Structures are given as C-alpha cells and as structure tokens.
Amino acid sequence: MLVIKDLHAEVEGKKILNGIDLELAVGQVHAVMGPNGSGKSTLASVLVGRELFKVTKGSVTYDGHNLLAMEPEVRAREGVFLSFQYPVEIPGVSTSYFLRSALNAVRKQRGESELDAMDFIQMSKEKAKLVELPAALLSRSINEGFSGGEKKRNEIFQMAMLEPRLAILDETDSGLDVDALRVVANGVNALRSPDRAMLIITHYQRLLDYIVPDKTHVLVGGRIVKSGGADLAREVEERGYRWIEEEVGAASV
Amino acid sequence: MSEQTSANDLFEPGEYKYGFVTDIESDVAPPGLNEGIIRFISAKKEEPEFMLEWRLKAFRAWEKMVKDEGSPAWAHVKFPPIDYQAISYYAAPGKKKQLNSLDEVDPELLATFEKLGIPLEEQKMLTGVAVDAVFDSVSVATTFKEKLYEAGVIFCSFSEAVKTHPELIKKYLGTVVPVTDNYFAALNSAVFTDGSFCYVPKGVRCPMELSTYFRINTANTGQFERTLIVAEEGAHVSYLEGCTAPMRDENQLHAAVVELIAADDAGIKYSTVQNWYPGDKEGKGGIYNFVTKRGKCADRAKISWTQVETGSAITWKYPSVILQGEDSVGEFYSVAVTNNYQQADTGTKMVHLGKNSKSTIISKGISAGHGQNSYRGLVQMNPKAAGARNYSQCDSLLIGDKCGAHTFPYIDVRNDSGQVEHEASTSKIGEDQIFYCKQRGLSEEDAVSMIVNGFCKAVFKELPMEFAVEAQKLLNVTLEGAIG
C-alpha cells in the first residue's frame, strides 16, 4: 500500500532524510522509532505534504499512485491521516463543525453522499466513546483549552470518524500519563483493521506495549538502520539507541 | 386590495421611466460649498426655517474648523487632501443612471452577487436596473409599513420626517452629535440630504427588525446621510443598515452621522454591514467612509452597536455610547476587514457618567494584503460613575506579511470604584492552522474562511440571524485571494 524508496528530504537546506526505504502493506502496523533528531517527524511531515519539507530524491507510492505529487488536502481525502504531535487550536470553530466539513470532504472523494447533521451526531457519539472523549468537548472550539490528553484523544477520535486507509501517528504518546496512554492505545487498537495500515512514530517503546506492531524500524540519521519485529522495540527500550548507532557506525567505516 | 393598486401605480413602468427623465439638470447643485448652496439645499427640500438655521450654524462651525486646523490628522490613515469645493452637494433622488437590464452591469459585480446569493430582483435594485411592477417586495414593504403604523412606530426618510414631524426633529436632532462635534459631523450637518428617522413611542417594542424593511427600501440616500433613532421610555428597536452586496457610488467621500437616543429602560440595537466599494487591487478609487455614530443612554437603557466593516478604501468611525443613566449599558461589537490597500481606523468610545453603568467592547480586526487596521477606543469613567464597569477585548488577525494591525486603547478612570478590563491579542493566521485543516481534507480557501469566521464568531452572533449568515459569506468574498 505504501512504498517508500530511497527518500531524501531537507528542511531549509538542511538534510534530514538520507534515503529511507520502507514498505507497509495494508492491514499492517509498523512502528518507526528513533532518537531525537533522527528524522521521525520529518518522515511524517513529508508523507502528508507539509510545504516546509522538500523532497530532493526518491519516491513514495500510495496505492500505486505517486503520493508526493498530490496536494496535502487530496492526500487526506484519499485516506491519508496524520495524528499530529502538536494538534493546533482554532478558536471559534467547534470540533463538530470542523469535523463534519472534513468528513464530508472525504466522503465526497469516496463518492459518498454528505452526512446530515443527525447522522453525524449519532456517528460522533459512538466514535467518541472509543477514546472516552466527553461529548461536550465536541461543541467546544477545536483543542482550545483542551488538556494534552484530550488533544491526543481528539486526534484519535477524528481518525475514527474519517476512517483513513493509512494512519500516521506522530508521537501520539508524548505528554500522556499512563491512564491517558492506555485510553489512546485502546482507541488505536480498536481501529486496527485488515483495510487499514498504520505507521506509528515514537521515541519511546511504552506505547508499543499497548499497540503491538507487526514490524519495528529504527531510524538514525535519516535512514532506517535496523528493522525487526515487536521485540526490537523492547530491545531498544532496554539498551537505548546507542548500540544501534555504534553498530551502524562500525558497519559504515 | 387598495395597497396593491397604489404599489402598482408607483412602479408603473412607463411613468417611472419618464419620471426620472424630467428636469435632471435643474435638480443638481453646481460644485462648491458656500452659504448659498446650503440655502439651495434647504429650499429644494422645502425645509422649515429652523432646519436652515441649524444647517447654517453647522456650516459656520465647519468653516471655522477648516480655518483653524483643517481636516483632522490624528487617525492612522493616509489619503490625499479632499477638495470640498469640487463636490456637488445636492442631486435630486432617483438621479442615478437607470439601466435596462442586468446585461449592462459589470459582470464582475454580478459574479460577486452570485457568490453572496443575492436574489435577482435585489441585484437589479442595487445596480439601478429598472424593477418590474410585479416586484414582490413592494407589497411586502406596504405590509410592513402598515404593521409599523399600527404599533405607532414612525419610520420614514429623514426629509419626510422634517415635514411630517418637525417637532420631533427639532427636539432631538443634534442632541447627541452637536454640529460642532467634529469636522465631518459639522460638514454632514450643513449639507446632508437624506437618511432615516425612526421613533418608537413609550413602551412599544418595534414589531419587526427594521433590517428587512430597510434593505428592500434601500434608496440612493447620497453621500451625506443622517439617521436619527429615538426610543422612548421602555421602547425597543433593532435596526440594520447597509447591505452585504457591494455598493458602488460615484461619490468618493461619505460622511454620515447617526444619533441614537434611548430613554429610561429603552433598548436600541444598531447593526451595520458596510460594503462600499473598496477600490481596486492597486488601491485606486474606493469610498472614504468617515462616520460619526453616537448614542445616549438614560437610566437602565441599553445601546448595542454591531458592525461588520468590509468595504471602503478608508473606514473611519467610532460608534460610541454616552452612558448617562444609572445602570445603563453600552455595547460595541465590531469586525473590520482590510484587504489590498484598504485602511480602517475604527473603535468606540464608552463614556460612563451614570452610576453602575456597564460597557462591553469586542473588536476583531482582520488585515490582509497591504491593509492597515487600527482599533482606537476610549473608555472613560467620570467621577460620578461609581461602580461602572467595562470589559474590552481587541483581537487582531494578520493574513500575510505586508499588512498591519494597530491598537490604540485609551482608558481614563476618574473614580475609585470603576472597573476596567482590557484584553488584546494579535495573531497571524497560522500556517499550522491552515495545514491542520488541509490534512483533514479541507481546501485552503475553506480553511481560511473557517479560521477567519471562527475568529469573528463572538461578533457575528450579535447580528440578526439572516445577516450573520450573509456576513460570513461576505467575509469570504472580501478575503478571496488573500492567501497564496
């Protein structure tokens, strides 16, 4: 479903990604781990088309199409979803109004009819339960005055509503306490499906205790230097990133 | 069915057509401003003596201001000097060029109407196309008129009121904005040609929003408009001026005066949607909109100003409230948008004189393109205004990096028990916010419109329902192309 080949990218002239290769099949969940500055968030940003990030080499195909040629909003409508590390606040725009517009934009692309207000409310009530998001939050301005945990739950709630084919979770665990982490992880697990692929980007392994990935990749210096199963994540947790960096360093000499 | 007949008579196409052809020439004053012109205007309008005297007094005040200090220069706006002797100060109503069909109207203007969803008949009225005799609104207007009459509400053009209710005009005109108030108010007082008058008697709640009525009856009131609204004890009225449709006008200078008088326990809600021609993308042309608006509140009375200012090359207005009475309430809700080379210097004055008087100011300024947007406001609490309270919130939103936002709040508290709260913020419309929306599948245009409308929400909710929806659309049209 997602094929990344030799992907190079830079931000304001600074090279961040130095040749990433990754294949993600539909129905699979992959974790991308790495130390700070390894390019994890850049990878997520490139996949969703943030203007600031320039692809200098390589390709990304999504369902056989050239993902990099699509506008960000088109990628979203085609089913690419990003759970933001830092969800923004938009004062005066209620979450439900925002999400209904988004959902209808996505539905339009899928050739489905617009969802009317009643059906939307019904659907959002159900999906909000998934991440234990109080319904009252939906009528408040997007993320305004939300706690860190509420913001992240709101992201997963939106994912549940938009039903993406490819979900990218960028440091969804950051800033969450154990209870909130469990709630978010349960929500994500409930959304695992044979029709959906997920890319989970994280610094720590603790999220992966709850969301067990099919595959784990370790990103160092803008390249995937090691791939393995769920146990690789645990090894990283125990031994840190240093040993992998050293291993890579030794190999490249 | 008698109204039906009279309405038809009024708009009988043949008569209407010929009616405006006659005597155009003699109905226009030559350019220039002097005492003779003032007398000419007053005579043309068949005004009583007291009106002429009042105009002359205003004219002399204006002349003195011209000599002493000239046009005021304190506002944060720039424009070349205005040649007041080059303006013609009188043209008979209905002089506006009549077109035969919408085909003759600038297609760009029509495209804008389309986006705003303005009904076809209304488009014709706004562009000066002759309107059919079957125009529904005529009978609607007649019904309105009857309803108002039954309630005892007087609502008519200012000229009509001068003739039919001179005693009310004499009693109230200039009592809130005196002829010597400021440069443009003095000019307006001297030369104004028409406007609206509304009088709501004691204890009467005006049976309808005067918005709908006004919109249908939008006449070419000219560049110096005068409005006077009086709500007697316990009376209530809601009034909306303007229109979301873009208004083009040959006259560059517009200097209106609006006076509101709210007696004990009365309430006046005054909403404005201003969309005069803003000039082109290079900043050429456009209306100078220099307006004086002020209201006076007696005990427990309330005056609420809501404005959405999207048009004009220059907007310069400060709808204010003099809180004379105890427990009186003043409110000001404003959205001002400047795009391309538009300039706005707008805000309010809340003058607290009465005990426990309260005021609220919510101002939202949006700047895009090379637009310059200033909030200028005064909150004054006088020694007798014990326990007075004010809450002000002034937010600015910047779109792009060539525009400007400025805030000039003046706070003047002269007693120990007054409370003033002021909050201000300036933010740039965030790349992050726009990207967040795009990542959820929204187009850039929809994203900007959603963010901007969210920013203005606190003001829009004060508008009468049907206009809140139009105001949102208007905002989108005004900011079209502001990004990217």
Side-chain angles (χ1 to χ4, degrees):
Chain A
M1 170 193 245
L2 182 73
V3 182
I4 304 173
K5 274 192 185 150
D6 194 27
L7 185 66
H8 289 67
E10 55 181 48
V11 180
E12 289 161 349
K14 196 178 162 216
K15 285 181 182 169
I16 310 275
L17 300 184
N18 297 301
I20 290 197
D21 291 286
L22 193 155
E23 283 194 31
L24 177 59
V26 66
Q28 293 231 307
V29 174
H30 286 198
V32 174
M33 301 183 73
N36 288 330
S38 59
K40 300 187 302 284
S41 283
T42 299
L43 176 61
S45 297
V46 167
L47 292 178
V48 293
R50 279 213 92 141
E51 288 87 347
L52 197 63
F53 299 82
K54 267 214 181 90
V55 173
T56 50
K57 202 180 160 193
S59 68
V60 180
T61 50
Y62 168 68
D63 276 342
H65 299 288
N66 178 2
L67 185 72
L68 301 177
M70 298 181 199
E71 292 295 324
E73 61 270 33
V74 176
R75 298 184 198 191
R77 291 174 204 153
E78 292 288 355
V80 178
F81 178 93
L82 172 67
S83 167
F84 284 77
Q85 184 179 0
Y86 304 108
V88 301
E89 300 180 1
I90 307 180
V93 179
S94 75
T95 302
S96 58
Y97 176 72
F98 170 74
L99 196 52
R100 191 148 86 94
S101 308
L103 183 56
N104 282 331
V106 170
R107 287 176 67 97
K108 196 172 163 194
Q109 188 78 10
R110 292 186 203 142
E112 295 168 3
S113 63
E114 285 205 350
L115 209 59
D116 69 39
M118 292 312 290
D119 290 343
F120 176 81
I121 291 169
Q122 194 54 42
M123 182 178 172
S124 50
K125 269 186 185 158
E126 271 167 37
K127 305 281 185 181
K129 278 185 205 147
L130 218 61
V131 283
E132 300 173 27
L133 195 69
L137 284 189
L138 302 182
S139 53
R140 287 195 4 214
S141 296
I142 303 165
N143 294 324
E144 204 182 29
F146 284 28
S147 70
E150 285 169 340
K151 283 182 184 173
K152 293 296 171 77
R153 278 190 272 164
N154 191 11
E155 292 293 292
I156 304 305
F157 162 66
Q158 293 184 36
M159 171 174 148
M161 291 292 287
L162 297 173
E163 300 174 325
R165 303 239 312 127
L166 169 65
I168 304 159
L169 277 62
D170 189 7
E171 310 242 2
T172 294
D173 51 335
S174 68
L176 295 186
D177 60 30
V178 180
D179 292 330
L181 185 70
R182 196 176 294 128
V183 171
V184 167
N186 286 343
V188 173
N189 280 329
L191 293 170
R192 284 178 89 146
S193 136
D195 304 323
R196 182 171 296 140
M198 292 189 193
L199 197 60
I200 297 178
I201 292 170
T202 180
H203 182 88
Y204 300 104
Q205 175 258 351
R206 57 175 196 160
L207 179 65
L208 305 178
D209 281 342
Y210 300 98
I211 309 168
V212 181
D214 298 303
K215 241 182 154 181
T216 304
H217 308 278
V218 176
L219 195 62
V220 174
R223 280 166 54 207
I224 289 172
V225 293
K226 204 170 179 65
S227 296
D231 44 344
L232 177 59
R234 253 165 258 137
E235 204 173 345
V236 167
E237 178 70 11
E238 277 163 29
R239 303 174 58 186
Y241 289 106
R242 188 60 61 85
W243 65 278
I244 300 176
E245 284 170 320
E246 279 163 7
E247 219 178 80
V248 178
S252 64
V253 168
Chain B
M1 292 306 289
S2 64
E3 328 65 94
Q4 201 70 41
T5 322
S6 63
N8 278 339
D9 285 348
L10 198 68
F11 279 83
E12 207 279 309
E15 194 185 26
Y16 194 62
K17 208 150 110 200
Y18 294 120
F20 83 88
V21 171
T22 38
D23 282 333
I24 290 180
E25 302 308 321
S26 62
D27 278 352
V28 180
L33 185 53
N34 53 53
E35 217 175 286
I37 292 290
I38 310 279
R39 287 179 190 280
F40 172 81
I41 294 170
S42 195
K44 270 280 173 196
K45 303 187 73 66
E46 299 167 355
E47 288 179 346
E49 186 64 22
F50 82 90
M51 275 304 301
L52 173 63
E53 274 164 27
W54 193 78
R55 285 178 184 277
L56 289 172
K57 201 169 116 194
F59 178 62
R60 283 172 204 133
W62 183 73
E63 272 192 318
K64 190 170 177 300
M65 290 180 202
V66 172
K67 223 173 73 198
D68 292 352
E69 63 225 272
S71 178
W74 46 263
H76 190 78
V77 294
K78 277 187 216 148
F79 59 96
I82 298 166
D83 182 358
Y84 293 94
Q85 297 303 335
I87 298 172
S88 167
Y89 290 86
Y90 181 84
K95 196 216 116 210
K96 210 173 185 180
K97 195 179 156 219
Q98 196 86 22
L99 306 174
N100 293 317
S101 81
L102 281 174
D103 297 343
E104 296 172 36
V105 176
D106 180 2
E108 205 178 302
L109 188 62
L110 292 180
T112 310
F113 282 143
E114 208 58 49
K115 284 179 202 151
L116 289 168
I118 310 270
L120 202 65
E121 289 302 327
E122 218 171 298
Q123 292 188 19
K124 289 183 181 173
M125 295 208 29
L126 292 163
T127 48
V129 172
V131 179
D132 302 338
V134 289
F135 186 23
D136 272 353
S137 306
V138 175
S139 52
V140 173
T142 314
T143 322
F144 280 167
K145 233 177 183 159
E146 275 186 0
K147 238 170 131 181
L148 289 173
Y149 182 78
E150 274 168 30
V153 175
I154 302 167
F155 185 48
C156 60
S157 76
F158 202 94
S159 314
E160 203 181 321
V162 168
K163 284 180 194 151
T164 53
H165 301 280
E167 73 293 346
L168 290 174
I169 300 293
K170 202 170 175 177
K171 184 171 172 193
Y172 292 110
L173 180 66
T175 56
V176 188
V177 179
V179 296
T180 52
D181 191 80
N182 70 69
Y183 193 87
F184 295 107
L187 180 64
N188 172 289
S189 303
V191 302
F192 77 88
T193 40
D194 218 332
S196 306
F197 174 71
C198 177
Y199 179 83
V200 188
K202 188 171 166 179
V204 171
R205 195 170 277 271
C206 188
M208 70 192 71
E209 295 261 357
L210 290 180
S211 55
T212 326
Y213 178 96
F214 191 78
R215 204 158 75 131
I216 290 164
N217 287 273
T218 299
N220 184 19
T221 40
Q223 57 188 139
F224 300 102
E225 201 175 332
R226 188 93 198 181
T227 303
L228 176 59
I229 298 175
V230 181
E232 292 285 21
E233 228 179 287
H236 284 83
V237 61
S238 166
Y239 183 94
L240 189 135
E241 71 165 345
C243 189
T244 50
M247 302 281 275
R248 279 179 193 256
D249 196 289
E250 312 296 311
N251 305 309
Q252 190 164 39
L253 173 65
H254 278 241
V257 173
V258 176
E259 293 179 283
L260 308 184
I261 293 151
D264 289 354
D265 301 295
I268 301 176
K269 184 175 171 61
Y270 193 106
S271 314
T272 303
V273 174
Q274 186 264 116
N275 190 22
W276 294 103
Y277 181 55
D280 66 13
K281 286 194 170 69
E282 275 74 50
K284 260 174 73 183
I287 303 285
Y288 297 170
N289 192 30
F290 301 158
V291 183
T292 306
K293 288 182 164 170
R294 197 176 302 151
K296 208 161 70 175
C297 273
D299 290 352
R300 297 168 304 279
K302 175 175 169 180
I303 287 179
S304 179
W305 299 100
T306 306
Q307 62 173 20
V308 177
E309 304 281 328
T310 60
S312 296
I314 303 176
T315 296
W316 181 347
K317 59 182 281 198
Y318 314 92
S320 304
V321 185
I322 300 171
L323 296 154
Q324 238 169 15
E326 292 185 9
D327 298 299
S328 55
V329 177
E331 294 174 341
F332 174 73
Y333 301 99
S334 170
V335 167
V337 186
T338 51
N339 194 3
N340 298 320
Y341 283 87
Q342 284 177 276
Q343 310 174 67
D345 193 301
T346 185
T348 183
K349 286 189 216 173
M350 291 292 173
V351 180
H352 292 258
L353 300 169
K355 266 185 208 155
N356 300 320
S357 49
K358 259 192 342 203
S359 61
T360 304
I361 299 170
I362 309 279
S363 163
K364 305 278 179 178
I366 301 164
S367 317
H370 293 81
Q372 291 292 330
N373 209 319
S374 303
Y375 167 80
R376 186 184 303 277
L378 168 71
V379 176
Q380 191 182 81
M381 293 185 174
N382 288 283
K384 283 183 182 161
R389 273 180 295 163
N390 162 266
Y391 172 75
S392 301
Q393 188 189 335
C394 304
D395 298 322
S396 307
L397 187 68
L398 302 171
I399 302 175
D401 52 11
K402 293 183 184 68
C403 54
H406 317 270
T407 310
F408 305 95
Y410 304 87
I411 296 171
D412 176 9
V413 181
R414 302 180 198 168
N415 71 52
D416 303 335
S417 56
Q419 276 183 41
V420 178
E421 250 181 281
H422 184 95
E423 284 179 32
S425 77
T426 301
S427 53
K428 219 174 141 176
I429 194 161
E431 280 297 316
D432 286 356
Q433 289 176 326
I434 293 174
F435 187 77
Y436 190 79
C437 296
K438 280 185 175 176
Q439 212 302 304
R440 296 298 184 253
L442 301 174
S443 68
E444 176 147 320
E445 226 165 68
D446 288 346
V448 171
S449 129
M450 200 178 265
I451 295 164
V452 169
N453 279 303
F455 176 74
C456 299
K457 198 178 185 181
V459 174
F460 284 167
K461 72 179 176 43
E462 298 296 326
L463 284 172
M465 187 59 127
E466 75 256 42
F467 281 96
V469 176
E470 285 190 22
Q472 283 194 21
K473 283 195 212 157
L474 175 60
L475 212 60
N476 297 346
V477 172
T478 308
L479 290 173
E480 225 166 58
I483 292 244

